[in-house]
Amino acid sequence: GGPNVSTALSVREQHGHDESMHDCAPPDAVVWPQAVGQVQELAALCHRCRVPMVPFGTGTGLEGGVNAVQGGVCFDLSRMDTITELSLEDFSVAVEPGVTRKALNSYLRDTGLWFPVGTVG
């Protein structure tokens, strides 16, 4: 509730489009979960109620993937932004879905490593 849920039109419109050519299709509500357990509870509730779930990162996609063409609930994962594990030995890092490439590279700055654009995996 409260600051973690919005049905305001301006917020829904912000979350109803990306950088693609597709028209805005806002969700019915936007939620900002802050932990895996909250995502699980929200997903279970949406599933039980047969409400579409739309994940939202930063809105920079080019395919219209955030457009809620059937309404539903947008899961804005930007507040889940913790880097949870770094292994310099095998060059692996575990992050929550809200971690941006810029934030990751800032975190890695003193290690001599970086995460370039276009990296998959």
Side-chain angles (χ1 to χ4, degrees):
N4 298 318
V5 178
S6 180
T7 57
L9 180 59
S10 62
V11 174
R12 294 185 304 115
E13 286 178 342
Q14 174 190 354
H15 288 81
H17 68 89
D18 54 17
E19 298 296 324
S20 71
M21 63 178 189
H22 302 289
D23 292 334
C24 180
D28 299 311
V30 178
V31 296
W32 287 268
Q34 297 174 35
V36 172
Q38 291 175 336
V39 173
Q40 292 168 332
E41 289 179 38
L42 289 164
L45 179 61
C46 286
H47 178 73
R48 268 195 316 277
C49 296
R50 302 182 59 83
V51 173
M53 298 174 284
V54 182
F56 186 90
T58 58
T60 59
L62 300 174
E63 298 83 20
V66 300
N67 294 50
V69 294
Q70 295 180 357
V73 176
C74 174
F75 286 49
D76 183 327
L77 304 172
S78 63
R79 295 182 185 168
M80 294 180 65
D81 60 355
T82 301
I83 298 168
T84 58
E85 185 179 331
L86 172 63
S87 173
L88 296 175
E89 295 77 37
D90 62 5
F91 303 108
S92 67
V93 62
V95 301
E96 291 182 340
V99 174
T100 64
R101 185 180 54 82
K102 183 178 178 180
L104 178 58
N105 282 333
S106 178
Y107 183 86
L108 295 173
R109 181 176 293 128
D110 294 335
T111 68
L113 302 174
W114 76 97
F115 190 82
V117 175
T119 300
V120 178

